[in-house]
């Protein structure tokens, strides 16, 4: 089976712009989660989708949003980018309850 | 609430040394516990897991035992190699909930 695929791997954006990141989960996995990783804050949970419904949301401003499609692929969007949004954004998929999460390689977003 | 406390790093060891990275957790129920490893420029890879008390997870010479009485899941390896240099994350998950990660412990193994 192919692993979790995130595109693009690297992005450079300007403050105020918006960005969309994409995640294709492992085939058959219906749960997709997003995490932000920064040196200062570590790994922080953004949101989780299951069967196209947002099931959990972390403590991030409304500029961060996401969605999941019927084929389980997910996108996250960040609007009005700020310098502090520079981070590695990781997507993870899992098969079900009490199972491990499989992570993609991440998208490195740099806001200048 | 749910949280994971992980041993602060960085940790530097000589090749073939014994490794322990401490991890304790707080959970409102009965979590599953995980260790993930992250190599530079990469995402997280599952190293091992345990889903109930007294379970021992093991992989590639690494081991961790789920201790409910001490709420711990310490990572150990008897003889580290240079290729084990990476950042290690302890994590817990409650059923279908999000993963709660520790802050990560950076390990450098020198020849």
């Amino acid at each position: 089976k192919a692993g979790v695929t995130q595109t693009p791997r690297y992005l450079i954006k300007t403050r105020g712009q918006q960005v969309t990141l994409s995640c294709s989960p492992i085939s058959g996995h219906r749960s997709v989660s997003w995490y932000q990783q920064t040196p200062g804050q570590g790994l922080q949970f953004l949101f989780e989708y299951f069967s196209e419904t947002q099931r959990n949301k972390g403590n991030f401003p409304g500029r961060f949003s996401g969605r999941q499609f019927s084929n389980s692929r997910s996108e996250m969007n960040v609007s009005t980018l700020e310098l502090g949004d520079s981070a590695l954004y990781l997507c993870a998929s899992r098969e079900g309850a009490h199972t491990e999460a499989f992570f993609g390689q991440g998208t490195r977003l740099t806001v200048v | 609430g749910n949280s994971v406390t992980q041993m602060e790093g960085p940790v530097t060891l000589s090749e073939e040394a014994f490794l322990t990275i401490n991890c304790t957790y707080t959970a409102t129920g009965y979590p599953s516990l995980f260790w993930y490893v992250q190599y530079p420029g990469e995402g997280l890879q599952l190293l091992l897991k345990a889903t109930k008390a007294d379970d021992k997870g093991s992989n590639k010479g690494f081991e961790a035992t789920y201790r409910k009485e001490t709420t711990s899941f310490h990572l150990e390896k008897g003889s580290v190699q240079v290729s084990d240099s990476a950042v290690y994350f302890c994590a817990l998950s409650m059923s279908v909930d999000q993963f709660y990660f520790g802050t990560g412990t950076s390990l450098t193994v020198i020849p």
Side-chain angles (χ1 to χ4, degrees), chain B residues 39-54:
Chain B
Y39 298 99
E42 301 292 324
L44 275 66
Q45 297 176 25
L46 177 70
L47 185 57
L48 51 84
K49 68 175 183 179
T51 57
K52 61 183 188 299
D54 300 326

Side-chain angles (χ1 to χ4, degrees), chain B residues 16-32:
Chain B
E16 298 183 5
F18 184 85
L19 169 71
T20 299
I21 301 178
N22 290 335
C23 170
T24 57
Y25 68 90
T26 302
T28 52
Y30 303 100
S32 294

Side-chain angles (χ1 to χ4, degrees), chain A residues 2-13:
Chain A
V4 178
T5 304
Q6 290 188 247
T7 56
R9 287 291 309 275
Y10 303 94
L11 266 178
I12 300 176
K13 291 286 189 179

Side-chain angles (χ1 to χ4, degrees), chain A residues 35 37 98 100-101 105, chain B residues 32 36 38 42 49 97 99:
Chain A
Y35 293 83
Q37 186 179 25
H98 290 293
E100 60 269 35
Q105 290 187 297
Chain B
S32 294
Y36 281 86
Q38 186 176 35
E42 301 292 324
K49 68 175 183 179
D97 198 2
F99 275 68

Side-chain angles (χ1 to χ4, degrees), chain B residues 54-66:
Chain B
D54 300 326
D55 268 3
K56 178 186 279 190
S58 61
N59 185 28
K60 299 180 182 178
F62 290 90
E63 292 183 340
T65 301
Y66 189 147

Side-chain angles (χ1 to χ4, degrees), chain B residues 80-102:
Chain B
V80 294
Q81 305 300 313
V82 171
S83 57
D84 294 327
S85 298
V87 180
Y88 292 81
F89 292 90
C90 184
L92 73 82
S93 177
M94 304 291 299
S95 182
V96 296
D97 198 2
Q98 63 172 291
F99 275 68
Y100 298 84
F101 287 93

